[in-house]
Amino acid sequence: MVVNHRTLSAGERIELRRRRLGLSRRVVAELTGRSEEWLRQIERGSRRLDSIEMMYRLAEVLRFDDPVELIGLPSSSRSGARDIGEMGLQLTALNRAIMDHPSTQVFATAVANPLPTLDSVRAGLDQCWYSWLGSGHRYTELAARLPQVLASARSIRAAAQAHSDGQLEESGRVLVEAYHLARFVLTRVGDYHLAWLVADRPIGILTQPAQPILVAVSSWHVASALLSMGYHAESRDYALAAAHRLAAATRSAETEGPVYGALLLLAAECAAGAGDLEQSKELLAGAARIAERLDPAAGLRTIWFGVPEVAITGMDIALRLGQVDEAIRLAAEVHLPDNAAVDVRARYYLTTAYAYGRKGEDFAATLALQQAELASPEDLRFDWMAHRTLQKLSRHDHHLTRRDLAKLLAAAGLA
């Protein structure tokens, strides 16, 4: 369901953002210095948000780029809406490739045209994954390449189904991986509903007995998409069910593998969002045990799991709960391997910068943002967490970081 934010009251807007971030009413109330009953009345509309000070506090806690967004007025912030809009235009071809259902005339016309070979489509997909995992300009590169790869993969899959030839299974695998990559891109740019749609597509392509690992990976993507939309309990249950199915299908052979660990790790974050902190702690510990025993070379490109990912998720959980010092402590313990994917490096540095920004340690936050820019300039440009941290730092206008901050603001499109 797509929510029209312009029709929401201030209380509804606050509650929606709070739930999407996985924050309990108690945590938000404590961070703003008010009672849980006060926040409940605000959300229910029985009390008005008539204090500018409290509006700013809530905007900070709930990560609104501009406090006036709380009451539904047009934002005066140059928060990057222009840049996200530009990325949205660049992704138009990808959106069309996703929405082009096999039953439509557009897809039928594409199928009627000469098909590329499966090897050429696989090579194109490999290049897309190479860009996503290793390029600092991965968003624009994939916006140019992935739509054609996805359309071609769907055409080959449709032809294989029509003729029942030997390419059916392999063409399905290629199409599924293309969908997984599209889900990553759409989630990063904030198109959560289309990300959920593209995550759900592979479930109908795969068969559980033949490809249990790929089915589990696809389930992880669905659960991740649900988490992004704020469905914490549903995402947790989906991830845990997928983990149980994987263990049953492989006779527990994969319960020490990266896919099983990634499902537990995702469930831990979802459990925290759902308010079950004890379960979150247990799941996080279980994922950590698997990660510590895991061969780093055992990872998959369609799902990332290891010691750094466990630590970053722990940071995310701590920030959800308002435990900034714990997030910073965890950040100090992270060791990123030299071959860590761009997404992992960018996520770590941006999360670290956000935590230091929340703490008021401007110099450390600036250094972390500089590292994020080195890892991926486009992540600095399109990630909401980067923008929120930069805006906080610019308001502080610290003399030791002024020059470096000006460069970062320009790189993020905020100058």
Side-chain angles (χ1 to χ4, degrees):
M1 179 181 69
V2 178
V3 178
N4 182 355
H5 292 268
R6 294 185 179 182
T7 66
L8 299 179
S9 68
E12 290 170 333
R13 197 178 300 272
I14 290 168
E15 183 177 15
L16 179 64
R17 179 60 70 91
R18 176 178 63 79
R19 291 182 179 277
R20 179 165 292 175
L21 293 176
L23 297 173
S24 69
R25 190 178 285 134
R26 178 184 59 80
V27 168
V28 173
E30 288 179 354
L31 290 173
T32 54
R34 291 297 183 93
S35 68
E36 187 174 350
E37 176 61 20
W38 175 87
L39 182 57
R40 187 190 69 79
Q41 292 177 8
I42 291 291
E43 292 182 348
R44 298 293 170 83
S46 58
R47 179 191 289 264
R48 293 184 60 188
L49 182 62
D50 52 7
S51 166
I52 294 177
E53 179 184 2
M54 290 312 303
M55 185 168 69
Y56 271 88
R57 286 187 184 179
L58 279 169
E60 174 69 23
V61 172
L62 298 176
R63 306 173 188 174
F64 282 99
D65 290 324
D66 194 314
V68 298
E69 293 181 50
L70 280 171
I71 55 177
L73 296 178
S75 173
S76 61
S77 168
R78 297 178 298 172
S79 64
R82 175 200 60 199
D83 301 312
I84 295 299
E86 290 175 357
M87 176 52 63
L89 291 175
Q90 293 177 20
L91 291 177
T92 298
L94 178 60
N95 295 348
R96 289 176 177 172
I98 293 168
M99 299 301 291
D100 189 16
H101 195 272
S103 63
T104 65
Q105 184 61 40
V106 175
F107 185 81
T109 302
V111 172
N113 294 329
L115 291 176
T117 65
L118 182 58
D119 286 342
S120 67
V121 175
R122 188 188 294 109
L125 179 61
D126 289 343
Q127 183 60 47
C128 287
W129 276 109
Y130 179 81
S131 295
W132 184 249
L133 296 176
S135 174
H137 301 282
R138 55 199 186 133
Y139 293 91
T140 51
E141 290 176 12
L142 262 67
R145 297 172 181 164
L146 186 55
Q148 183 57 51
V149 169
L150 185 56
S152 298
R154 292 184 68 170
S155 298
I156 291 175
R157 171 69 177 176
Q161 284 181 308
H163 299 93
S164 300
D165 60 27
Q167 290 188 328
L168 184 61
E169 182 174 340
E170 184 56 28
S171 63
R173 179 181 291 274
V174 170
L175 178 55
V176 165
E177 283 203 15
Y179 279 139
H180 290 165
L181 183 52
R183 204 281 301 176
F184 276 128
V185 177
L186 292 166
T187 298
R188 291 296 185 269
V189 301
D191 196 341
Y192 299 135
H193 290 87
L194 192 56
W196 176 84
L197 176 64
V198 78
D200 190 58
R201 289 273 175 87
I203 302 301
I205 296 173
L206 301 168
T207 56
Q208 173 74 26
Q211 302 172 333
I213 300 299
L214 198 53
V215 169
V217 171
S218 297
S219 298
W220 179 86
H221 279 274
V222 172
S224 297
L226 289 171
L227 174 61
S228 297
M229 292 192 296
Y231 295 105
H232 304 101
E234 294 83 353
S235 177
R236 173 199 58 196
D237 295 344
Y238 200 100
L240 290 178
H244 294 324
R245 286 196 302 269
L246 176 62
T250 57
R251 295 183 180 179
S252 301
E254 291 296 329
T255 56
E256 294 299 311
V259 179
Y260 189 85
L263 288 166
L264 293 187
L265 185 59
L266 177 59
E269 185 173 2
C270 298
D276 192 337
L277 302 187
E278 188 62 33
Q279 184 186 36
S280 176
K281 183 178 179 180
E282 292 176 1
L283 290 168
L284 189 63
R289 286 193 294 270
I290 295 174
E292 290 168 358
R293 295 193 293 264
L294 193 65
D295 180 358
L300 304 173
R301 69 183 185 184
T302 55
I303 189 171
W304 306 321
F305 175 75
V307 173
E309 287 83 357
V310 172
I312 295 170
T313 298
M315 292 167 62
D316 288 336
I317 292 173
L319 289 172
R320 283 180 182 272
L321 301 175
Q323 300 170 354
V324 180
D325 288 337
E326 175 65 9
I328 292 175
R329 185 190 69 79
L330 291 171
E333 296 179 354
V334 174
H335 172 70
L336 292 179
D338 294 337
N339 63 344
V342 164
D343 189 81
V344 176
R345 302 181 73 85
R347 182 185 168 199
Y348 166 70
Y349 287 120
L350 291 179
T351 305
T352 301
Y354 182 78
Y356 278 120
R358 288 273 299 272
K359 184 70 172 176
E361 298 186 16
D362 293 12
F363 189 73
T366 301
L367 288 177
L369 287 171
Q370 289 175 323
Q371 291 299 314
E373 184 186 18
L374 289 175
S376 175
E378 288 194 346
D379 277 84
L380 193 68
R381 191 174 186 86
F382 296 117
D383 190 277
W384 72 265
M385 190 178 290
H387 286 199
R388 195 73 186 96
T389 305
L390 284 166
Q391 288 170 340
K392 175 185 281 292
L393 296 178
S394 64
R395 288 198 298 269
H396 292 175
D397 193 26
H398 197 291
H399 70 282
L400 292 178
T401 61
R402 190 173 297 150
R403 181 177 298 178
D404 291 332
L405 183 60
K407 295 178 181 178
L408 289 169
L409 288 168
L414 300 175

